[in-house]
Amino acid sequence: MDLRMSSVLLLILTFLTPRILSMRYEIRSGETKCFAEDLRENTMSVGKYFVVNPNEKHHLSASHKITVKLMPPKGESLLHEADNVEAGQFSFTAYETGHYLACITAVDHNPATTFTVDFDWRSGVHSVHSKDWSKVAKQSQVKMMELQVERLFDTVKDIHDEMFYLRLSEEENQDVNRSTNTKMAWLSFLSLGVCLSVAGLQFWHLKNFFEKKKLI
């Protein structure tokens, strides 16, 4: 019984334990490094990143810039994007279960340089304990709403395009029907004319036949 309770408790702790990806690594100009997180639906995630300044008395040079992109499992639209920045932060709520990918690219620079980037990605129930992380997390709801609005907009656009296509198809069908009806009307008149002509010829032939036989 104790073993079973221990297993259940371990399973609960596994789901509640926050997932933290925090690292500091070197990156070279033009190089890209990507990190993946396997998130469940409705999981909160927040993150921060910055280029480490080796000399705090001076500003970072133009070579010490990065481009950051955060992509969902299917890669339909970027959850976060920042170009040529020294630091930034992101937050989102996973709208589907899968691997979320964060890619950091050092901008091209000549001559090439190597610098250090600090990257911190937290997800899970306890990912927003501190005040700083809570401020970042508030932005995730706005981002989630933006994604939902974009998905609704795409759906409405697809429906509009489909309705427009159906309207054009209906107009084409109506044109075909009108053309067919017109042709059928002319064919009916032509058939009637042929039938009357044949009947007239038969009547004229029979009249001449009976006159020659002196039956009439």
Side-chain angles (χ1 to χ4, degrees):
M1 186 66 179
D2 293 338
L3 180 60
R4 183 176 300 176
M5 291 296 296
S6 300
S7 301
V8 173
L9 181 60
L10 180 61
L11 181 62
I12 295 174
L13 289 176
T14 300
F15 281 104
L16 294 181
T17 300
R19 304 178 66 174
I20 301 176
L21 176 63
S22 181
M23 62 180 63
R24 177 171 289 191
Y25 61 91
E26 291 186 346
I27 189 170
R28 190 172 176 81
S29 299
E31 184 181 3
T32 299
K33 289 184 178 293
C34 294
F35 311 96
E37 274 289 303
D38 188 12
L39 302 178
R40 290 180 291 121
E41 186 178 359
N42 296 325
T43 300
M44 172 76 73
S45 283
V46 293
K48 290 182 179 180
Y49 52 87
F50 62 90
V51 177
V52 178
N53 191 345
N55 189 350
E56 297 183 355
K57 295 182 180 180
H58 298 84
H59 293 291
L60 288 171
S61 65
S63 62
H64 289 50
K65 301 283 185 178
I66 56 176
T67 295
V68 182
K69 295 182 179 181
L70 182 61
M71 293 163 284
K74 296 180 181 179
E76 296 175 352
S77 58
L78 294 177
L79 297 173
H80 174 76
E81 183 177 15
D83 293 327
N84 296 332
V85 296
E86 298 175 1
Q89 58 188 24
F90 61 85
S91 63
F92 67 94
T93 300
Y95 60 86
E96 62 179 335
T97 301
H99 292 283
Y100 288 75
L101 189 66
C103 291
I104 299 178
T105 303
V107 298
D108 287 327
H109 191 268
N110 191 15
T113 58
T114 301
F115 54 91
T116 303
V117 176
D118 190 289
F119 182 72
D120 192 355
W121 187 358
R122 305 185 182 191
S123 60
V125 180
H126 306 293
S127 60
V128 289
H129 276 321
S130 68
K131 293 182 179 179
D132 292 338
W133 289 106
S134 297
K135 292 178 181 178
V136 177
K138 291 178 181 178
Q139 301 176 2
S140 66
Q141 300 301 327
V142 177
K143 187 65 178 179
M144 190 67 181
M145 291 179 63
E146 289 179 357
L147 290 174
Q148 293 294 337
V149 170
E150 289 180 1
R151 293 174 67 180
L152 289 174
F153 178 77
D154 292 339
T155 301
V156 171
K157 185 176 181 298
D158 292 338
I159 293 174
H160 176 267
D161 293 341
E162 184 68 19
M163 291 180 64
F164 184 73
Y165 171 76
L166 291 176
R167 182 179 177 182
L168 289 178
S169 179
E170 182 180 0
E171 291 179 353
E172 292 178 356
N173 291 333
Q174 289 178 354
D175 291 339
V176 172
N177 290 335
R178 283 193 292 266
S179 177
T180 303
N181 291 336
T182 301
K183 293 178 180 179
M184 289 299 297
W186 280 107
L187 182 60
S188 298
F189 285 119
L190 180 61
S191 299
L192 181 60
V194 171
C195 290
L196 292 175
S197 299
V198 172
L201 289 174
Q202 288 179 343
F203 178 76
W204 177 78
H205 177 71
L206 290 173
K207 182 181 177 183
N208 290 337
F209 176 77
F210 288 128
E211 287 179 348
K212 290 180 178 180
K213 297 294 183 177
K214 297 180 180 182
L215 297 176
I216 56 174

